[in-house]
Amino acid sequence: MPASTPSPAPPAPTSPAEPDAEGTTDSAQTTSAAPDDTRSTTAASPAAQDPTGEVAGEAVGETPGAPRGRGAGVRLARLRAWRERYPRAARAVWWATTVLSVVLVYLALLLPVPLTGFEPRMLLRLPGEAVVIAAVLTALPRRPRVVVAALGGAGLAALTVVNLLDMGFGSYLGRGFNLVLDWELLDDARSYLADSLGGTTTALLTAGVLVLVVALFVGMAAAMVRIGTVLGRDAQQSTRATLVAGTVWITCSVLTVQLAGQPLTVHRAAGALNAQTDRVRDTLRDEAAFGKEARADRFGNTPAAQLLPDLRGKDVVFTFIESYGRSAIEDPVMAPGVDRTLASSTAALEKAGYRAKSGWLTSATYGGSSWLGHSTTLSGLWIDNQQRYRTVMASDHLSLTKAFRKTGAWDTVGVMPGVQKGWPEQKFYGLDKVYNAFQLGYQGPKFSWSTMPDQYALEAYQRLVHGKQRDKPLMSEIILTSSHQPWAPIPKMVGWDQLGDGSVFGPIEKAGRRAGDVIADTTASREEYGKSIQYSVTALTQWLERYGTDDTVLVFLGDHQPISRVSGTHASRDVPVSIVAKDPKVLDRIAGWGWTDGLRPAHGAPVWKMSAFRDRFLLAYGSTPHPSGG
């Protein structure tokens, strides 16, 4: 049977997708910008000539009969064939990519917004930068418009990344992201996640973030090109629309029109750019100013014999409890348990012959960067950023701990279970010996970020240092880490005689809550945070009851408040500070400070800047000022 001759195929319908050519003043050639207009596509169309036109980014399917081969021209020919064959799908793709482009740029222009307390109504704004972008893209010829749109999209993506970092820093650290100083903190954040969630999970999260950043740059550039292409098709209509939008924006701004209780008009992107510029400028200025400030020291030239004469013969222990902030004592969710612990600990210490006085210090940091709180307390300088920290660590400024060493009357030691690498800061703090996480003999499990429970760290300090016979009294700096976020799992107290090498904590760690179950849960975080403070305070005060002597003086305080998700969006930066001793003369020296008796400072107890503590302490215990450096 002879093969049948196929009948001629009907002509392909013209595409109802968006037109390829931009608007023109020739009425015979002008086409509407609406996506349902139809026009036959020729090889000379702008779409065929310009691969960066409106077809950029659209999905293309292989169509029977489409040209085969490689190259931009062939691919565009396939695209035209697909659009003509599937006009409804082409129209849907056109609308989807256009709307997504507008939404992406719109959301980027509304950043930053607060992560804590965010409400959807905050997105009901008209960003002024959108009007400016529309005006610029409408006014430019096609090829310059594509270049400007792509570069502008990349720039907006970069600003979006900085804004997202700003939002994260605001939520966790209570301050904005610093373009000059804070990049190195991202590695600390990665290490924290690795300790809290595990290396594999952190590696996957890191890779995901990097992919999203690259996708953001590509997507934002493509979105701006798409918007520019749409605006450029009918320049007259786009110009009219832009003028109307600009007039509306200015009018609403002048009249302070509100929508859903929020100002309708904003210019957040410009404000964020200005804020970052000001922050960079202020950072560069601060470097020189703080260097001069660090060289001026009220006690820099004080002779050794005139430093701390009223504490001679005492074993002095400075202890920082991680994230021990005012919220732990006054927040209605966390305070009941912590207050009970402080009350019972105060009673137990009094039974053992100790008395305590407590007040408040305003920390130089919030939510993290504990080293800023430590250095501010012990240096007497306000160290609220990494640049200041590096400057003072490289200086010969007299830290409070170094003052003890300068006298020659004390041996000085540091117990740092959170230190897991070289720690050159030992020189600034004047510590003869530092025990890091690997030198305390711990063989038990880590508790999330914390390398070991506080009870074990204190027992190791007793075994290795405090309990040994010495020719001189001891000055110690101890950092307790069990109350470090994410507050899961939390250790439990065990018998002091059962601690051994720490293996006893294995079952406790396994039975505890997982960090992943707590880290993003506000209620669970607040509850577990309160429990961690109770644990740390209990471990410290029990150590003092068990191992303290008539000559032991304990100074302990928090380094900063917990993150705002736990402490609240409007929490202060205050932390409790207590001095505990058996010798009544030690507390008599600070009787004029107005501090509260016991371990719980009263709500109205004096509040000092953390940087004021060093000088007040030195003066209270008999030191004589001899300034240096100006």
Side-chain angles (χ1 to χ4, degrees), residues 10-32:
T14 56
S15 170
E18 79 285 359
D20 290 322
E22 297 175 3
T24 172
T25 56
D26 187 346
S27 60
Q29 299 179 15
T30 301
T31 60
S32 169

Side-chain angles (χ1 to χ4, degrees), residues 279-517:
R279 197 172 294 159
V280 169
R281 183 175 59 248
D282 292 344
T283 298
L284 297 177
R285 289 176 178 174
D286 181 69
E287 182 175 7
F290 182 72
K292 182 178 180 180
E293 181 182 348
R295 289 191 294 272
D297 191 339
R298 188 179 183 186
F299 292 90
N301 286 330
T302 299
Q306 297 179 22
L307 285 170
L308 301 160
D310 297 334
L311 284 177
R312 301 297 170 100
K314 304 295 184 186
D315 288 330
V316 183
V317 184
F318 293 97
T319 303
F320 290 91
I321 296 180
E322 175 66 38
S323 301
Y324 180 30
R326 187 168 193 144
S327 297
I329 293 177
E330 297 187 347
D331 181 87
V333 173
M334 301 171 287
V338 174
D339 287 349
R340 284 194 299 270
T341 297
L342 293 174
S344 62
S345 296
T346 297
L349 289 173
E350 288 179 351
K351 185 177 180 180
Y354 289 94
R355 296 293 183 271
K357 286 186 176 292
S358 302
W360 303 105
L361 299 178
T362 301
S363 178
T365 185
Y366 175 94
S369 300
S370 303
W371 55 92
L372 302 182
H374 304 164
S375 56
T376 296
T377 303
L378 299 177
S379 71
L381 297 168
W382 190 253
I383 304 175
D384 60 349
N385 63 53
Q386 195 66 16
Q387 178 176 273
R388 287 188 166 214
Y389 181 78
R390 288 194 296 262
T391 297
V392 76
M393 287 299 126
S395 74
D396 58 359
H397 193 85
L398 185 68
S399 66
L400 180 54
T401 45
K402 188 188 290 183
F404 283 85
R405 182 182 183 184
K406 183 177 179 180
T407 67
W410 279 274
D411 291 329
T412 59
V413 67
V415 176
M416 311 287 179
V419 173
Q420 302 182 57
K421 54 186 177 182
W423 197 62
E425 289 90 337
Q426 176 180 349
K427 179 181 178 182
F428 171 79
Y429 288 113
L431 302 175
D432 298 319
K433 170 68 176 177
V434 170
Y435 292 87
N436 64 26
F438 309 110
Q439 296 171 316
L440 295 171
Y442 183 66
Q443 298 299 316
K446 291 181 66 175
F447 282 74
S448 188
W449 183 89
S450 180
T451 58
M452 65 191 70
D454 292 345
Q455 185 185 11
Y456 179 89
L458 290 164
E459 177 66 24
Y461 165 65
Q462 177 65 24
R463 170 171 45 85
L464 297 171
V465 183
H466 188 263
K468 291 187 174 181
Q469 293 293 325
R470 299 180 308 278
D471 296 331
K472 299 177 182 179
L474 187 66
M475 191 290 303
S476 309
E477 180 187 356
I478 302 176
I479 312 298
L480 299 181
T481 61
S482 290
S483 50
H484 193 288
Q485 64 174 315
W487 309 296
I490 301 172
K492 296 183 183 297
M493 295 295 295
V494 300
W496 288 86
D497 295 329
Q498 301 173 2
L499 286 167
D501 64 1
S503 299
V504 66
F505 290 104
I508 296 174
E509 189 274 338
K510 289 182 180 178
R513 301 186 69 170
R514 298 297 93 188
D517 298 333

Side-chain angles (χ1 to χ4, degrees), residues 113-279:
V113 295
L115 289 177
T116 304
F118 170 78
E119 298 178 10
R121 64 192 179 97
M122 294 178 180
L123 301 179
L124 300 177
R125 312 286 187 88
L126 177 61
E129 297 87 352
V131 179
V132 175
I133 290 172
V136 171
L137 295 182
T138 299
L140 289 173
R142 180 172 55 83
R143 291 191 181 278
R145 182 180 66 242
V146 170
V147 174
V148 170
L151 293 177
L156 184 57
L159 181 60
T160 300
V161 170
V162 173
N163 282 336
L164 292 173
L165 289 171
D166 210 51
M167 292 159 58
F169 271 62
S171 178
Y172 277 81
L173 301 181
R175 63 175 179 82
F177 178 75
N178 191 305
L179 279 168
V180 178
L181 304 176
D182 288 339
W183 293 107
E184 63 186 86
L185 296 183
L186 299 182
D187 185 60
D188 291 329
R190 184 196 58 78
S191 298
Y192 160 69
L193 288 176
D195 290 331
S196 302
L197 303 178
T200 301
T201 300
T202 300
L204 292 174
L205 288 173
T206 302
V209 168
L210 293 175
V211 169
L212 287 176
V213 169
V214 173
L216 178 63
F217 273 83
V218 174
M220 196 71 74
M224 289 285 279
V225 170
R226 159 68 71 176
I227 292 171
T229 300
V230 172
L231 291 171
R233 289 212 177 86
D234 191 335
Q236 292 180 351
Q237 184 175 341
S238 297
T239 300
R240 287 193 297 269
T242 302
L243 289 174
V244 171
T247 303
V248 170
W249 193 93
I250 294 173
T251 303
C252 293
S253 180
V254 172
L255 298 178
T256 62
V257 175
Q258 293 191 345
L259 179 64
Q262 300 284 331
L264 179 61
T265 57
V266 291
H267 45 83
R268 301 190 71 87
L273 187 59
N274 288 336
Q276 290 295 339
T277 301
D278 291 343
R279 197 172 294 159

